[in-house]
């Protein structure tokens, strides 16, 4: 299958060739022709599957075919004309033709960047990001240009809608990207409000890792006779990612092992996931002291700082990113070879999103979870969710002293003595040596490990500053209605 066969216009085809895309991915093969035909879509596919192009290419194709705005002038031009007439300019609301809702700022920026790439030969079509954390005056300037495409996080978008800056009456296409995640983050009320403000004649495309449970219910409410596309590619199943678990006795053991594994010679760049913002900062500091090029990424950082960190990661200046779930979502850096779960995620679906940061663009990757003995059951939950067994490994010299609560019967692919690639070399410092405090502060004084899902004061929670209340993973319905309904830090 070629992009030409999907029926895309020549300006878009040229942009794809320039971007180095040679053929459509499976989700693009199915979604593009259906979306060009104007159908509503419900698509279950992961990041990394090419889903952004799957909704953006047909949308650009359709937008390019629309007549230029009947209004003729942009809100900016109208205000200038009013001033020239000596009248007091009235702000005219932006009237986008397409809206993409994303759960996080990072994903929104990535969608906008990809859109710019695909629409480079479509002069009339502009996409802008409307995000929490961005100064309002800057966003007003962007909206005043009346862009055809808005890519937005729900909270900030609602602010602009409520103050009359955006009018969705001309909207043709609505996309909900990573819809499961938006619900998981408590955006359901905002999404309902936004959908309510758009014309019922719109085309709706919903992308989600799962179409079960609450996501499925909402999807059915907001789409009309949707075409359902479920992609079970190798990338979806993460078959290109080698997964393993290492059991650790305590924090000191965990830190030593992490330090050792980060020195693997096959490691190009890595993301280390922590449960809390505070740990992300602390571990980044420790790793820098130990000689790594590390940086933290979490929701307490200003958008500018987050963007700078991500740029440094993309340019290879930062080798190890220490991140919380929400901040790391949507990171698309093909040279990330390893993902580490320093803390296990609260929900199995977060595990899938985390490990998807590696093995991008057809490469192989490694996903390594450092697990306390008491967390064996949580590993089993992840295995049930992913329908894959995760082998347990032991590195010579870093063996756990205790045995795990849920002993693992097999050790497929276990590391044998002498197989510990890239181990700490003589003279290299380990950032946390047992009984040593010379390499930075030790956690909570006693090096004790914490339990899975423990709610700590600084957790990257999904509510407005309050602790996460979710009752844990239930069956295969990722969204739990007990969860806080407000988004965190989106405005
Ligand atoms: P996504 O699933 O949208 O996050 O895309 C994952 C990565 O694949 C991004 O870096 C895209 O630029 C890239 N990509 C998307 N479609 C294609 C394609 N047909 N050929 C090559 N790369 C692609």
């Amino acid at each position: 299958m070629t992009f030409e066969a999907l029926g895309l216009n020549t300006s878009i085809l040229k942009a794809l060739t320039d971007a180095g895309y040679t053929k459509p991915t499976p989700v693009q093969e199915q979604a593009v022709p259906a979306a060009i035909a104007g159908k509503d879509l419900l698509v279950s596919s992961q990041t990394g599957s090419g889903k952004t192009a799957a909704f953006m290419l047909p949308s650009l194709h359709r937008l390019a075919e629309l007549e230029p705005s009947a209004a003729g002038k942009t809100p900016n031009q109208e205000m200038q004309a009013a001033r020239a007439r000596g009248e007091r300019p009235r702000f005219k609301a932006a009237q986008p033709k397409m809206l993409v809702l994303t759960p996080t700022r990072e994903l929104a920026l990535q969608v906008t960047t990809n859109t710019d790439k695909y629409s480079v030969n479509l002069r009339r079509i502009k996409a802008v990001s409307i995000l929490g954390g961005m100064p309002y005056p800057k966003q007003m300037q962007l909206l005043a240009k009346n862009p055809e495409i808005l890519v937005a996080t729900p909270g900030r978008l609602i602010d602009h809608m409520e103050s009359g800056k955006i009018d969705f009456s001309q909207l043709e296409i609505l996309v909900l990207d990573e819809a499961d995640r938006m619900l998981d983050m408590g955006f359901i009320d905002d999404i309902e409000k936004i959908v309510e403000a758009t014309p019922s004649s719109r085309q709706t495309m919903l992308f989600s890792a799962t179409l079960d449970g609450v996501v499925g219910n909402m999807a059915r409410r907001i789409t009309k006779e949707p075409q359902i596309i479920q992609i079970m590619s190798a990338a979806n199943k993460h078959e290109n990612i080698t997964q393993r678990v290492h059991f650790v006795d305590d924090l000191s053991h965990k830190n030593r092992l992490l330090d050792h594994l980060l020195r693997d010679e096959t490691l190009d760049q890595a993301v280390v996931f922590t449960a809390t913002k505070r740990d992300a900062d602390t571990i980044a500091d420790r790793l820098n002291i130990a000689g790594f090029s590390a940086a933290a990424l979490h929701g307490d950082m200003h958008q500018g700082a987050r963007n700078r960190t991500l740029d440094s990661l993309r340019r290879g200046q930062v080798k190890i990113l220490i991140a919380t779930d929400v901040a790391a979502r949507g990171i698309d850096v093909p040279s990330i070879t390893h993902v580490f779960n320093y803390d296990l995620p609260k929900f199995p679906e977060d595990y899938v999103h985390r490990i998807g940061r590696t093995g991008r663009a057809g490469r192989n990757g490694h996903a390594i979870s450092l697990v306390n003995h008491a967390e064996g059951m949580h590993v089993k939950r992840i295995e049930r969710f992913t329908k894959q067994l995760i082998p347990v490994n032991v590195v010579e010299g870093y063996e756990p002293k205790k045995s795990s609560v849920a002993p693992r019967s097999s050790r497929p692919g276990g590391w044998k003595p002498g197989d510990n690639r890239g181990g700490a070399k003589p003279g290299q410092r380990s950032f946390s040596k047992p009984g040593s405090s010379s390499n930075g502060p030790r956690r909570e004084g006693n090096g004790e490990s914490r339990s899975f899902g423990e709610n700590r004061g600084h957790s990257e929670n999904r509510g407005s500053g309050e602790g996460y209340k979710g009752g844990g993973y239930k069956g295969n319905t990722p969204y739990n209605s007990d969860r806080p309904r407000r988004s965190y830090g989106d405005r």
Side-chain angles (χ1 to χ4, degrees):
M1 175 78 77
T2 61
F3 279 113
E4 284 81 358
L6 298 181
L8 292 163
N9 83 29
T10 48
S11 302
I12 299 173
L13 291 175
K14 182 169 182 322
L16 292 174
T17 309
D18 293 346
Y21 293 11
T22 50
K23 64 182 177 68
T25 64
V27 68
Q28 292 162 7
E29 276 185 19
Q30 293 194 49
V32 172
I36 287 180
K39 285 194 76 69
D40 282 3
L41 300 184
L42 297 184
V43 185
S44 123
S45 72
Q46 306 277 356
T47 45
S49 60
K51 68 180 172 58
T52 311
F55 63 74
M56 199 44 87
L57 298 178
S59 302
L60 289 171
H61 177 97
R62 295 193 66 208
L63 294 178
E65 291 194 335
L66 289 176
E67 289 296 311
S69 164
K73 291 193 174 87
T74 67
N76 247 354
Q77 290 165 333
E78 293 221 345
M79 291 207 288
Q80 278 164 9
R83 274 193 207 100
R85 291 194 300 270
E87 294 167 12
R88 197 160 158 230
R90 276 190 311 125
F91 185 88
K92 187 161 174 267
Q95 294 187 320
K97 298 276 190 317
M98 176 179 186
L99 169 65
V100 182
L101 288 177
T102 73
T104 64
R105 305 161 200 180
E106 281 73 21
L107 184 58
L109 288 171
Q110 201 176 299
V111 170
T112 308
T113 305
N114 282 345
T115 306
D116 291 345
K117 189 158 65 180
Y118 307 144
S119 65
V120 67
N121 304 314
L122 303 169
R123 296 262 149 67
R124 192 161 51 80
I125 296 178
K126 291 275 165 289
V128 306
S129 312
I130 297 297
L131 311 170
M134 201 192 252
Y136 277 86
K138 166 95 184 134
Q139 292 193 336
M140 300 294 290
Q141 280 170 13
L142 293 174
L143 288 174
K145 292 186 177 144
N146 203 20
E148 281 75 13
I149 303 172
L150 292 188
V151 185
T153 49
R156 180 59 70 93
L157 187 71
I158 293 265
D159 285 352
H160 286 298
M161 281 167 59
E162 287 176 348
S163 59
K165 305 292 184 304
I166 302 173
D167 161 15
F168 284 124
S169 63
Q170 304 301 310
L171 197 87
E172 303 267 346
I173 305 166
L174 172 67
V175 176
L176 275 72
D177 194 6
E178 300 197 356
D180 54 329
R181 186 63 171 191
M182 283 198 278
L183 296 190
D184 195 30
M185 289 168 66
F187 282 131
I188 192 156
D189 294 340
D190 288 350
I191 292 172
E192 303 265 1
K193 204 184 254 183
I194 293 164
V195 172
E196 191 66 20
T198 65
S200 59
S201 57
R202 67 175 191 267
Q203 177 183 27
T204 308
M205 295 184 256
L206 181 144
F207 285 70
S208 176
T210 171
L211 296 174
D212 297 332
V214 178
V215 186
N217 292 340
M218 185 188 72
R220 275 185 289 280
R221 275 204 309 281
I222 65 170
T223 54
K224 291 183 293 294
E225 298 174 29
Q227 179 157 331
I228 296 172
I229 298 173
Q230 283 184 305
I231 302 293
M232 285 307 293
S233 66
N236 266 12
K237 289 186 265 170
H238 291 315
E239 280 170 358
N240 57 333
I241 299 170
T242 310
Q243 301 174 53
R244 60 184 198 259
V245 158
H246 289 271
F247 280 101
V248 294
D249 294 323
D250 52 32
L251 271 178
S252 162
H253 185 194
K254 188 188 273 195
N255 286 336
R256 281 186 296 121
L257 182 57
L258 176 66
D259 176 85
H260 171 80
L261 295 171
L262 286 173
R263 296 180 195 279
D264 185 332
E265 278 159 5
T266 66
L267 187 148
D268 190 355
Q269 283 179 294
V271 182
V272 178
F273 282 96
T274 63
T276 71
K277 301 166 189 175
R278 186 178 56 185
D279 281 354
D281 282 332
T282 308
I283 293 169
D285 287 347
R286 287 183 187 181
L287 289 175
N288 277 314
I289 290 168
F292 293 99
S293 163
L297 185 80
H298 55 65
D300 268 358
M301 293 163 60
H302 291 300
Q303 191 60 39
R306 288 210 228 175
N307 292 346
R308 279 193 295 280
T309 301
L310 284 173
D311 279 348
S312 305
L313 184 74
R314 278 188 208 103
R315 286 200 299 270
Q317 291 157 338
V318 165
K319 194 169 170 188
I320 300 158
L321 186 75
I322 326 298
T324 54
D325 280 302
V326 172
R329 203 162 165 93
I331 292 175
D332 181 16
V333 180
S335 45
I336 294 172
T337 49
H338 289 64
V339 165
F340 293 90
N341 289 311
Y342 184 87
D343 295 306
L344 280 176
K346 291 188 175 83
F347 297 94
E349 61 268 36
D350 287 338
Y351 176 86
V352 176
H353 286 296
R354 283 182 180 190
I355 73 172
R357 297 311 103 212
T358 182
R360 315 271 302 172
R363 301 182 192 194
N364 293 327
H366 298 273
I368 302 165
S369 299
L370 307 180
V371 177
N372 301 315
H373 298 283
E375 295 175 325
M377 289 314 294
H378 300 296
V379 176
K380 284 196 182 304
R381 272 199 218 164
I382 292 167
E383 289 179 334
R384 271 203 301 278
F385 181 76
T386 59
K387 300 189 174 59
Q388 286 173 326
L389 278 179
I390 309 174
V392 178
N393 283 117
V394 177
V395 181
E396 191 185 6
Y398 296 85
E399 299 86 350
K401 292 190 183 67
K402 301 175 205 160
S403 67
S404 65
V405 168
R408 317 294 300 260
S409 51
S410 67
R411 291 187 173 185
W415 275 9
K416 295 170 217 67
D419 194 22
N420 45 343
R421 295 162 290 164
K425 296 179 184 73
Q428 279 183 328
R429 283 164 68 194
S430 172
F431 76 87
S432 178
K433 295 191 180 100
S436 155
S437 59
S438 61
N439 290 317
R442 294 188 61 176
R443 189 206 300 259
E444 261 112 65
N446 59 8
E448 255 175 42
S449 59
R450 299 153 312 184
S451 66
F452 177 85
E454 187 183 337
N455 187 16
R456 285 166 291 167
H458 294 259
S459 108
E460 175 101 335
N461 62 56
R462 296 139 197 239
S464 48
E466 52 182 339
Y468 182 74
K469 298 190 198 106
Y473 173 68
K474 289 180 180 164
N476 62 355
T477 307
Y479 177 72
N480 173 356
S481 58
D482 295 343
R483 294 180 193 183
R485 312 272 286 182
R486 236 348 278 159
S487 59
Y488 85 102
D490 172 49
R491 293 177 188 201

